[in-house]
Amino acid sequence: MAMNKNTVLAWATWIMIFVGLGLIALGAFRYDDVAGWGFAAVGFGFFAVAWVFNALKGRV
């Protein structure tokens, strides 16, 4: 499978989405104290970076 810039960004976007979902799930279901808020915030940060990767497809 030939990987060009757009497919690398697409894979990175999907990986960031899955990691972000995992972090949000950890914050929601595993940690009930202040650490849960931190995990959820980092998860939403991963979503923001995935959004940027998706916006860069076709422009780089």
Side-chain angles (χ1 to χ4, degrees):
M1 178 169 102
M3 300 265 296
N4 59 8
K5 292 178 283 189
N6 288 331
T7 56
V8 169
L9 285 172
W11 276 102
T13 300
W14 282 109
I15 291 169
M16 295 289 282
I17 287 172
F18 289 136
V19 171
L21 284 174
L23 286 169
I24 291 171
L26 273 175
F29 300 118
R30 175 68 172 95
Y31 297 105
D32 293 333
D33 53 352
V34 179
W37 290 98
F39 274 98
V42 172
F44 284 117
F46 269 77
F47 279 165
V49 174
W51 183 26
V52 169
F53 283 169
N54 192 27
L56 285 175
K57 284 193 306 190
R59 288 177 166 56
V60 180

